[in-house]
Amino acid sequence: MKRIKFIHTLFIAIFALSFVSCSSDDDDSTSQSKSDSKLVGIWKHDFSSGSRFYIFQNDGKGYEFEIDEYDMEDDREVGMESIKYKYNEEDAELIIWEPGDDDKEHYEVLKLTSNKLVIKYWDEEYEDDEEIYEKYDGSIEDIEDEYGVTITKE
């Protein structure tokens, strides 16, 4: 009789465990990385005296640097700053900030394709300023060769 109760209890326990779902373990990182997939890579924005670059990695981190011929030192070194970012495709919002800094820059994403990013800074002072970025098909080393600079992490 004890054996039958034990088997019955064991059967109920196994049956109950079979209904346990792992969905609570799932997070939005998969959907986040899918929406970020177009954003991941090196992006280049040209302006009158140089170019600004963003490097977006698939982990919400990246780098930002600017090559400005007017501000270039004789050593031709360019500092690359670490950034963090969050992209919300549904709200067309891109937020960029430096690690440890509470000051976040909010951008409206007007267009994002596999090779073009158009953003607008969310500030009344810069209402009409859109920045157009093209996907850079190369590496950091290619940028250094093209511009004749040395890029270092700050």
Side-chain angles (χ1 to χ4, degrees), residues 6-150:
F6 175 74
I7 291 174
H8 186 262
T9 305
L10 184 62
F11 177 73
I12 291 173
I14 291 172
F15 184 74
L17 288 174
S18 67
F19 286 101
V20 173
S21 171
C22 297
S23 65
S24 65
D25 293 339
D26 297 340
D27 57 17
D28 292 337
S29 63
T30 304
S31 62
Q32 179 74 18
S33 64
K34 285 180 184 175
S35 67
D36 285 353
S37 62
K38 287 183 194 172
L39 194 59
V40 171
I42 301 175
W43 294 90
K44 174 185 172 186
H45 167 69
D46 291 323
F47 53 91
S48 62
S49 61
S51 300
R52 179 178 305 110
F53 292 87
Y54 280 110
I55 301 172
F56 296 112
Q57 300 170 336
N58 60 5
D59 60 357
K61 297 177 184 176
Y63 298 95
E64 172 186 21
F65 61 96
E66 204 169 270
I67 300 173
D68 189 338
E69 292 299 326
Y70 291 137
D71 293 335
M72 188 65 60
E73 301 291 328
D74 291 336
D75 61 7
R76 309 273 308 160
E77 279 195 23
V78 175
M80 184 167 59
E81 296 180 4
S82 293
I83 60 167
K84 289 187 175 185
Y85 75 94
K86 183 174 183 182
Y87 173 55
N88 183 328
E89 186 174 24
E90 188 175 304
D91 295 335
E93 180 182 28
L94 175 62
I95 305 170
I96 301 174
W97 68 96
E98 292 180 22
D101 191 354
D102 292 335
D103 186 26
K104 296 181 179 180
E105 296 177 355
H106 293 255
Y107 296 92
E108 178 182 3
V109 178
L110 302 174
K111 182 175 185 176
L112 176 58
T113 66
S114 60
N115 60 358
K116 189 172 194 175
L117 170 65
V118 181
I119 57 176
K120 181 178 175 182
Y121 189 61
W122 283 0
D123 189 336
E124 297 83 33
E125 186 178 333
Y126 303 103
E127 277 184 33
D128 299 325
D129 289 350
E130 294 179 4
E131 293 182 357
I132 300 171
Y133 288 82
E134 299 287 331
K135 192 78 158 269
Y136 186 81
D137 189 29
S139 65
I140 297 291
E141 291 80 15
D142 294 330
I143 296 169
E144 289 177 321
D145 291 343
E146 181 179 337
Y147 288 87
V149 298
T150 303

